[in-house]
Amino acid sequence: MRFDLIIRNGRCIFPWGEAQADIGVRDQKIASLSVSSQDEATRVIDATGLYVLPGLIDSHVHLRDPGKPEAETLETGTRAAALGGITSVFDMPNTNPTVTDKKMLDWKRQHIIDTAHIDVAMYIGATRENTPLLAEFEQEEGVCGVKVFAGSSTGDLMIEDDEGIEAVLRSGHRRVSFHSEDEYRLRERRKLFEPGQPYHLHAEWRDAECAIRGTKRILALSHKTGRPIHILHVSTEEEFTLLAENRRYATVEVLVNHLTNEGPGCYERLGGKAVMNPPLRNERCHFEAGWAALRDGRVDVVSSDHAPHPKDAKELPWLECPSGLTGVQTIVPLMLDHVNAGRLSLTRLVDVMAAGPARVYGLPNKGRLAVGFDADITLVDMKKQRTISNDWIASPAGWTPYDGKSVTGWPVGTIVRGHVVMEDDAIITRNVGQPIRFQP
């Protein structure tokens, strides 16, 4: 039998367990998990010594396109993702202009086809003006769901009040994703601080109570309307407990940053390059709670919240420097390093970065190594030791908070629907990305 691509001798992570297998790809799909020695292909990859993972997904990125090419574009962001072993990204709507109407959805869909190196989905941003149309917009091709900024946004993307959030939850049926910080408490506490104070006060301003209050309010509205919700970048011990008690309605995302960095030390070391929302917490209990929730299954998805800004902007004093860190290129090496350190298993990593996003967002053809699924594959060398550095970063922003960090475990191949996009730190097939299709 002939295939387009065969991957031989790799150690595969299947939904049913780990096993060595030879995978055959035809017409961009996985066609066989038991290729024979006599079968042939246009391209054969010998994966001896490597792990073969279902294509890893970063379901929370800000590629800044359109509007901020000095920080990121869709082309550079998907290049960075591919170099980091990611086969699909879900891009946020807070661009300039925002992705909140049919015109911008159409533009972005075509822009993905023209420039993306991997597959891309789009969030549609909720506004007070477009709320009645969200049921229609969430069915557009390439849309992974509705995103609500209930705190920490500006302009028409902010919907902070219960009435506005309830209206969003009553428009459509798919799971709605939330930035959950209580905007009223954020405004109240902002008066306590001044520009130029130490960076670690970012975690005092946006304290745990801001996140807890926001999540409680959104959960109550989810119960009231019967609409499922996805709470992004959960970062507090209380939220993990609360959300575990509400599994019927809520799913949980945790960021690699909250699993890797703690305050106040990270602020002393990184300055503005540690400033993000919700903040890297100063209290160790929240850091430990994130790992406990990841280990016991309360976490559904691990993402990067890749949100680049130019280096000079991140060097401004606190309250003047913008919030957000680069991350789409470094999430896989960091998580593989956590696996090697014994903090989670490789199977659990696949669960929260492939199967988890597929389950939460309704991806029928991605997230697992199985016949009929898209041939999205991440090849990793679990023994490879590397040092993450700024000069490896593909984003125009040109920096990572993990510059100089040594890790064990590295992505060595990124395959998108059977196209070998990245191999050994080089992009070898360009612009194969397509808008991702979801269940209705």
Side-chain angles (χ1 to χ4, degrees), residues 15 54-55 57 300-301 349-360 366-368:
I57 299 166
D300 299 278
V301 175
L349 185 153
V350 166
D351 185 38
V352 292
M353 290 194 66
R359 180 179 65 252
V360 167
K366 296 182 184 292
R368 64 191 333 200

Side-chain angles (χ1 to χ4, degrees), residues 15 123 126 248 250 256 268 273 328 337 358 402 410:
Y123 289 88
R248 179 182 175 189
V256 64
E268 296 167 2
K273 292 176 184 174
V328 72
D337 190 63
Y402 302 102
W410 199 262

